Amino acid sequence: MLFYTTLFLAFLYFKIARVYKKEEAQNKTMLIQNIIVAFAVVVLFAYGFTHEVWYEVLLVSYLYFILAALVVAAVQLGIFIDGKPFIKISHLYKSLALLGMLISFADVYLWGI
């Protein structure tokens, strides 16, 4: 179950990072963070293909790809409660570091390092 949760968080991370890259200025810290998380996602997929059935990993990856895109699009359009935005895209930008840490630590936990 941790593998699939981490897989969803990985797709969510990169959807948010793509929007961040389009809307904000480029900086080296985000580039380094994205490279570290990309390496963690490659390791996550390696774990998935060695410990899970390969077609389940591909199917769930496709579904999570779509779901993450819908979540980010919903936040970009706006989720309002009583006329005030509930979640702003800036909240998602601030959560990128936490998501990256969760993905990396989940990889370490899954591999048992």
Side-chain angles (χ1 to χ4, degrees):
M1 188 69 190
L2 181 63
F3 168 73
Y4 293 110
T5 305
T6 307
L7 190 62
F8 175 70
L9 291 177
F11 282 113
L12 186 64
Y13 177 89
F14 281 110
K15 287 294 181 182
I16 297 169
R18 182 185 61 84
V19 173
Y20 183 84
K21 183 178 178 183
K22 284 184 175 183
E23 293 183 1
E24 300 293 327
Q26 301 288 328
N27 55 21
K28 285 190 176 189
T29 57
M30 280 304 296
L31 179 65
I32 292 169
Q33 180 179 333
N34 289 341
I35 290 170
I36 291 170
V37 175
F39 178 73
V41 170
V42 168
V43 171
L44 181 68
F45 271 107
Y47 177 85
F49 285 123
T50 57
H51 291 85
E52 303 288 335
V53 182
W54 66 271
Y55 55 85
E56 284 182 5
V57 173
L58 291 179
L59 179 66
V60 170
S61 295
Y62 180 69
L63 293 175
Y64 282 167
F65 178 78
I66 293 170
L67 186 62
L70 291 174
V71 167
V72 172
V75 171
Q76 281 181 311
L77 290 174
I79 301 171
F80 295 97
I81 295 178
D82 295 330
K84 296 179 182 177
F86 179 64
I87 299 174
K88 297 179 183 177
I89 196 72
S90 62
H91 294 144
L92 294 182
Y93 294 158
K94 292 175 186 174
S95 69
L96 277 177
L98 179 64
L99 281 175
M101 272 190 344
L102 285 173
I103 293 166
S104 300
F105 288 146
D107 274 346
V108 170
Y109 183 77
L110 284 172
W111 282 100
I113 296 174

